[in-house]
Amino acid sequence: MTTLREYLESAGCEAGLRDLILLIGRQATPIREAFITHQAYVDSENVFGEQQAAMDTWADAWITRVLGESGLIRELASEEQEEVAVFPDSAHEYAIVMDPMDGSSLIQTNLSVGTIIGIFGNGSVMQSGRNLKAALYLLYGPMTTLTLSVGQGVQVFAMDKDGEYRLLHRDMTIPEGKNYGTGGTRPTWVAPHRAFIEAIEEEGAKIRYTGSFVADFHQILTYGGVYCYPALNEKPTGKLRLLYEAIPIGFIAEQAGGKTSDGRQSLLDIVPEKPHQRTPIYVGSPGMIRKVEAAFGTRR
């Protein structure tokens, strides 16, 4: 079975990008080991005023230190940090955006959680998703998997007993499907989103939603359908973050033949104005996204 290193070499990845992806992949082992001792919530809040799980703060500090000391990155923006971290002595110009522990509230119930990473060049995190050099997410479930795109489709690797990533699924393509997951509650949804959900339910769509964005998206990648966290009546920009969640996952989705939208345009076309910018998110099968945009009166 093809290893992650072998795949990156065959894909023609430049040495620095290859080394950075391999380094990120190796962090799955210490992260998994930390789950047992970092399950509780801590007496701190992130930059959004949300209570943090111990695993949020631990994973953020761990990954930031490892990548910062590597000499591979110039900037790092994390959902858990107020400011963009800058590493002026880096030998490379890669810039990282990350959600270090997506779905951390589910750790105590032993449901799947993950780490989301986007990698830009040119030394800056403030770029649209069209400029990503690579995106990946680590999923900590029954298997530890690494789902990756370096702009040449989407590959899924699974970690073996020796800590080596081996190719599990090659060139993933999002099928048209009828699964859906949506954040918010019906009374808070904006009218176009409510109309979209009611329409697909009438067509037989079935809800699949855990509250872990990365795990819920992986179901959509595998079986098709749509994941959404919409604009809400009192939160018109939704809940999820453009840089840390929407852009990396959107890049992977579109590389797998899927589509993304905020209701009006691709998530990858949005140029961030600030690191912690929020956006409504729709990501999944092309047919589902066309229905979303039709509900919002969008044509593209």
Side-chain angles (χ1 to χ4, degrees):
M1 298 174 68
T2 303
T3 67
L4 177 59
R5 178 181 292 275
E6 290 169 343
Y7 169 74
L8 293 171
E9 291 174 348
S10 70
C13 280
E14 55 202 64
L17 181 59
R18 180 194 65 212
D19 293 345
L20 181 54
I21 292 170
L22 291 170
L23 177 61
I24 293 167
R26 289 197 294 272
Q27 304 322 303
T29 297
I31 287 171
R32 290 207 75 133
E33 290 174 351
F35 283 144
I36 294 176
T37 53
H38 294 77
Q39 293 190 18
Y41 281 91
V42 293
D43 294 326
S44 64
E45 296 180 344
N46 64 14
V47 296
F48 308 102
E50 300 164 343
Q51 187 179 17
Q52 293 174 299
M55 200 62 207
D56 285 322
T57 58
W58 187 93
D60 178 65
W62 178 272
I63 297 172
T64 299
R65 181 183 65 79
V66 169
L67 297 188
E69 293 176 352
S70 71
L72 292 169
I73 66 170
R74 181 72 61 185
E75 287 189 354
L76 181 147
S78 168
E79 180 179 326
E80 302 301 326
Q81 299 180 40
E82 185 172 359
E83 303 293 336
V84 175
V86 180
F87 305 94
D89 297 328
S90 172
H92 295 271
E93 294 294 320
Y94 300 113
I96 295 287
V97 294
M98 71 172 184
D99 182 348
M101 188 49 53
D102 179 77
S104 57
S105 63
L106 301 178
I107 292 171
Q108 289 180 308
T109 58
N110 200 30
L111 293 178
S112 294
V113 298
T115 298
I116 304 172
I117 302 280
I119 305 174
F120 290 104
N122 302 321
S124 173
V125 299
M126 297 298 288
Q127 303 184 56
S128 79
R130 300 293 177 200
N131 294 338
L132 276 175
K133 297 182 77 69
L136 64 92
Y137 58 85
L138 297 163
L139 187 60
Y140 316 107
M143 297 181 289
T144 299
T145 57
L146 186 155
T147 301
L148 168 72
S149 178
V150 292
Q152 300 178 40
V154 176
Q155 324 303 326
V156 180
F157 299 83
M159 182 184 285
D160 67 16
K161 61 182 179 61
D162 298 315
E164 186 80 69
Y165 286 100
R166 299 190 179 277
L167 188 62
L168 185 66
H169 301 295
R170 182 185 294 275
D171 295 327
M172 292 285 288
T173 300
I174 298 179
E176 291 293 344
K178 293 189 175 182
N179 292 325
Y180 80 94
T182 180
T185 58
R186 286 181 187 261
T188 67
W189 291 345
V190 295
H193 179 74
R194 184 181 299 109
F196 165 67
I197 295 298
E198 290 174 353
I200 64 172
E201 286 178 334
E202 288 179 2
E203 296 171 355
K206 297 180 179 179
I207 190 164
R208 297 288 185 270
Y209 186 75
T210 67
S212 169
F213 177 35
V214 65
D216 290 334
F217 171 72
H218 198 70
Q219 288 196 85
I220 300 304
L221 176 65
T222 305
Y223 299 119
V226 64
Y227 173 91
C228 28
Y229 205 107
L232 306 177
N233 289 321
E234 296 183 358
K235 294 181 179 179
T237 57
K239 178 184 178 181
L240 300 185
R241 288 79 184 187
L242 177 64
L243 271 179
Y244 316 125
E245 295 156 322
I247 282 177
I249 295 296
F251 182 81
I252 290 171
E254 294 198 11
Q255 283 290 316
K259 289 186 177 293
T260 67
S261 183
D262 65 353
R264 295 172 174 82
Q265 62 181 321
S266 168
L267 298 171
L268 302 188
D269 290 331
I270 304 172
V271 179
E273 298 176 359
K274 54 186 178 181
H276 296 289
Q277 182 172 333
R278 298 176 192 261
T279 182
I281 288 178
Y282 295 88
V283 56
S285 306
M288 283 289 196
I289 302 304
R290 286 193 291 270
K291 291 176 182 177
V292 168
E293 294 190 339
F296 280 86
T298 302
R299 293 183 179 180
R300 64 177 174 101

